[in-house]
Amino acid sequence: EFRSASNNQTATDHRRTMACPEALLLDNVLANICGYSTGYEVKSLGLVCYELCRLFKKDFIWQFLCKMYNFKHKSRTRTRGWKPWRVVYWRHLCLECSSPGHIMVDLNGGRFLAPSDLVPVCHDCFDSVADMTLPEMWKIAFPSLKKRNEYLHRFVMRKIYEIAANKEARRRKHKRRRRR
């Protein structure tokens, strides 16, 4: 086995670091790279090799991504219901396109006794369906969600339609107030 004189590194060790440059990727650099990627790309990057998978199990990277997109834990207290940051990040990705979703659709309607099931949707996906009628939404909106679960697709489309209708009603009411 060939041993380098400069850094006491064997040739096999050098090949291992060149195949997966774990030593070269610091947590901050890896987190910044992930900040420019979609959720699906981050997941794929974590599946490339064993060393990257091990790096993605660290909570620091996921906490950095959550802070970057302003994702927070759903629980009110710090100790009860605490989830790893990776779970927090994955639960805030858009239902359709896996990009960070900032519009939360409440599937329960906000009832007090039932636990709240929030479904994230990104602004692009929401804007693409906001002007559609409900039958149009059921036919052409969110095709990947429709393939996965048709019942959930119809339910989410109905909720988004209600949100868009309420938003439009508030906009008209605000215009009438400005005219007076």
Side-chain angles (χ1 to χ4, degrees), residues 37-166:
S37 306
T38 63
Y40 181 76
E41 292 167 346
V42 171
K43 180 181 176 183
S44 299
L45 184 62
L47 298 174
V48 169
C49 65
Y50 177 75
E51 284 82 12
L52 281 176
C53 181
R54 194 178 54 172
L55 283 173
F56 273 99
K57 288 184 180 179
K58 292 182 180 179
D59 217 24
F60 171 78
I61 295 170
W62 300 107
Q63 184 178 7
F64 178 82
L65 288 171
C66 288
K67 284 184 180 179
M68 184 173 159
Y69 292 115
N70 200 20
F71 296 159
K72 296 185 170 104
H73 286 285
K74 291 180 184 177
S75 65
R76 306 273 164 144
T77 61
R78 292 184 183 180
T79 55
R80 189 171 32 125
W82 187 83
K83 303 269 188 233
W85 285 104
R86 180 178 56 183
V87 174
V88 173
Y89 179 77
W90 285 108
R91 286 189 179 170
H92 282 83
L93 292 180
C94 180
L95 193 62
E96 176 66 15
C97 65
S98 297
S99 63
H102 293 287
I103 299 173
M104 295 299 208
V105 179
D106 190 1
L107 297 181
N108 284 337
R111 286 177 256 150
F112 290 108
L113 299 176
S116 179
D117 291 329
L118 297 175
V119 175
V121 179
C122 69
H123 289 286
D124 294 334
C125 291
F126 184 83
D127 291 341
S128 69
V129 299
D131 296 332
M132 294 182 186
T133 64
L134 194 57
E136 287 175 342
M137 285 183 182
W138 287 342
K139 286 181 184 176
I140 59 174
F142 290 10
S144 66
L145 176 62
K146 190 173 184 177
K147 286 180 189 174
R148 284 184 281 159
N149 188 340
E150 190 159 345
Y151 174 75
L152 180 64
H153 175 263
R154 291 179 79 90
F155 195 68
V156 168
M157 290 298 107
R158 183 175 290 134
K159 291 293 182 177
I160 289 176
Y161 181 75
E162 290 172 6
I163 291 170
N166 288 340

Side-chain angles (χ1 to χ4, degrees), residues 16-32:
R16 191 178 309 136
T17 52
M18 294 313 287
C20 181
E22 174 192 354
L24 301 176
L25 284 176
L26 300 173
D27 290 346
N28 297 355
V29 175
L30 187 61
N32 282 325

